[in-house]
Amino acid sequence: MSGHGNPIPMTARAGGALRGTARVPGDKSISHRSLILGAMAVGETRITGLLEGRDVLGTATAMRAFGAEVTRTRDGLWCVHGVGVGGFAEPDRVIDCGNSGTSARLLMGAMATVPITATFTGDASLNQRPMARVTDPLALFGAHAVGRAGGRLPMTLIGAETPVPVRYRLPVPSAQVKSAVLLAGLNAPGQTVVIETVATRDHTERMLRGFGADITTSVTRDGRVITLTGQPELVPQEITVPCDPSSAAFPVAAALITEGSDVLVPNIGLNPTRAGLYDTLREMGADLTCENQREQGGEPVADLRARFSPDMRGIEVPPGRAASMIDEYPILSVVAAFARGATFMRGVKELRVKESDRIDAMAVGLRTAGVKVEEGPDWWRVHGRGPGGVPGGATAATHLDHRVAMSFLCLGCATTKPVHVDDASPIATSFPAFEPLMRGLGAHLDLANR
Ligand code: S3P
């Protein structure tokens, strides 16, 4: 599979303890939503701590194409002059979402109830991912999508002329689908209702409330029922984006498996719909402590400290927790390789339709690094080899998947022999400073040099 640039092979080798402070970038989910909701408000939204990774920069470019003014001023302050709900202009070019499913799905939702037409495309990874999961509910609003076989990008979406509100039960636990429906509901008259049986990340709901929308969530026997009243005037916001718990997972995990390590991650977002990995790691026996817990912009944040944890045990991860740690299974499988006993992860078939088939990508790489992994359609089991017990010496294919690439580079921080990845370039989508940050903690990461 090829992306837009040249592959960047990279090697990680054990080089002693990881120590220090890991300042991880802004939350990817909140960054995308800040730009999109800012573009749908009337007036200037100001954002600090925005993740300046390729995916989010793609959303910024797209918002400009839809008519919003998006600028970056001093010290990473981003300003978005919104055009108001229903105010998007028709883009005069194809919207290239690169590797980012969040950009594609949320932007389709945001434009689906505006009478304009836009064409979306992405890289080789994104163009294989399922889009019918968003275009099906968007059709209920009156939008019309024409894409490739199997509902794949490139795809043209024709927004509804006279949108109607929708009541929609999510068939898959997906915050992207939920958010696409809510963003479409913004420009439909009346109430749009989304029902989810499993709670997925709720940043869209929290942020819509912050922007002044009338949105309520009630927990019923039927699931979480989210009701949004359409056609509000969104009020611009001052947003401080917390650090991304999904990005923090990499230095945290590397510290847990590498002897002598002690790493502090300040200001990490710990929204309960995102923090499942940290509960799981604690259950495995990880030495994790939370300091300075507080609230920032409607999201819980804290400083998280991770120390080398030689006594971790494999566990069965509760499937009900999957949505709250869906992006963290690749790095969890790396930690599991250093635990004693097996870690069983089930209810995770969504992993097969992420930036790559993450079960397959991790299983293949871990096996070549000397770790036994079993897998089925919606489960996998990693047989831990205990602290210091993973041989390494493998080259892993990253399949245009940033989280697979970072996971294998963290693996190599603690294996006997180095671990190589064929292409570290996708890391720039979500964590552009991964390499210098990990080096700053003491990790030995090198370009190519096999
Ligand atoms: C995201 C939701 C998740 C996650 C992705 C970001 C979001 O995807 O994997 O990285 O910002 O809403 P799904 O909605 O497909 O589960």
Side-chain angles (χ1 to χ4, degrees), residues 13-254:
R13 64 189 84 242
L18 304 178
R19 302 182 81 87
T21 300
R23 296 197 186 278
V24 305
D27 188 281
K28 183 156 75 71
S29 294
I30 296 175
S31 295
H32 283 295
R33 287 157 173 79
S34 301
L35 293 167
I36 296 171
L37 290 174
M40 297 174 89
V42 179
E44 185 183 84
T45 287
R46 293 152 65 90
I47 312 161
T48 48
L50 189 88
L51 164 61
E52 295 179 339
R54 225 186 272 147
D55 280 11
V56 173
L57 297 178
T59 291
T61 304
M63 289 297 74
R64 290 189 191 107
F66 281 102
E69 194 185 313
V70 183
T71 49
R72 182 191 194 275
T73 57
R74 53 166 176 95
D75 297 339
L77 171 73
W78 285 76
C79 297
V80 183
H81 282 268
V83 293
V85 168
F88 281 164
E90 186 164 85
D92 62 1
R93 68 207 68 171
V94 171
I95 305 297
D96 188 347
C97 298
N99 191 252
S100 175
T102 312
S103 310
R105 294 181 176 133
L106 270 56
L107 292 173
M108 283 187 187
M111 67 143 286
T113 46
V114 185
I116 55 173
T117 295
T119 299
F120 296 86
T121 191
D123 68 5
S125 155
L126 184 58
N127 286 359
Q128 283 193 22
R129 297 181 64 187
M131 292 296 150
R133 53 176 59 196
V134 281
T135 53
D136 286 352
L138 296 182
L140 303 175
F141 287 96
H144 183 58
V146 188
R148 286 194 305 134
R152 319 271 151 174
L153 302 184
M155 180 176 276
T156 295
L157 188 65
I158 304 165
E161 282 285 340
T162 45
V164 290
V166 155
R167 184 179 178 88
Y168 192 68
R169 173 182 284 281
L170 292 182
V172 282
S174 165
Q176 292 177 355
V177 177
K178 171 176 67 175
S179 302
V181 175
L182 291 172
L183 291 172
L186 276 176
N187 197 37
Q191 292 192 324
T192 286
V193 179
V194 186
I195 303 153
E196 54 179 7
T197 19
V198 176
T200 64
R201 65 191 67 192
D202 64 356
H203 306 300
T204 303
E205 297 94 299
R206 287 174 188 249
M207 293 179 75
L208 276 170
R209 212 163 287 130
F211 273 85
D214 178 2
I215 179 166
T216 57
T217 300
S218 53
V219 181
T220 69
R221 274 201 354 234
D222 227 21
R224 278 163 47 93
V225 181
I226 304 150
T227 306
L228 170 73
T229 304
Q231 300 183 328
E233 180 168 311
L234 297 183
V235 184
Q237 297 297 294
E238 298 272 333
I239 299 172
T240 305
V241 181
C243 297
D244 195 318
S246 301
S247 298
F250 298 102
V252 164

Side-chain angles (χ1 to χ4, degrees), residues 256-257 259 308-312 337-340 384-390 414:
L256 297 178
I257 61 176
E259 196 172 343
F308 174 55
S309 303
D311 296 320
M312 289 187 289
F338 292 90
R340 291 193 177 83
R385 298 184 57 114
V390 181

Side-chain angles (χ1 to χ4, degrees), residues 219-297:
V219 181
T220 69
R221 274 201 354 234
D222 227 21
R224 278 163 47 93
V225 181
I226 304 150
T227 306
L228 170 73
T229 304
Q231 300 183 328
E233 180 168 311
L234 297 183
V235 184
Q237 297 297 294
E238 298 272 333
I239 299 172
T240 305
V241 181
C243 297
D244 195 318
S246 301
S247 298
F250 298 102
V252 164
L256 297 178
I257 61 176
T258 307
E259 196 172 343
S261 298
D262 185 345
V263 167
L264 180 73
V265 186
N267 213 32
I268 171 180
L270 287 176
N271 178 318
T273 60
R274 290 286 298 283
L277 172 74
Y278 299 103
D279 297 332
T280 301
L281 292 173
R282 279 197 194 90
E283 282 170 22
M284 293 173 76
D287 184 350
L288 283 178
T289 48
C290 254
E291 297 159 17
N292 201 8
Q293 294 184 21
R294 58 207 183 271
E295 179 135 332
Q296 179 187 296

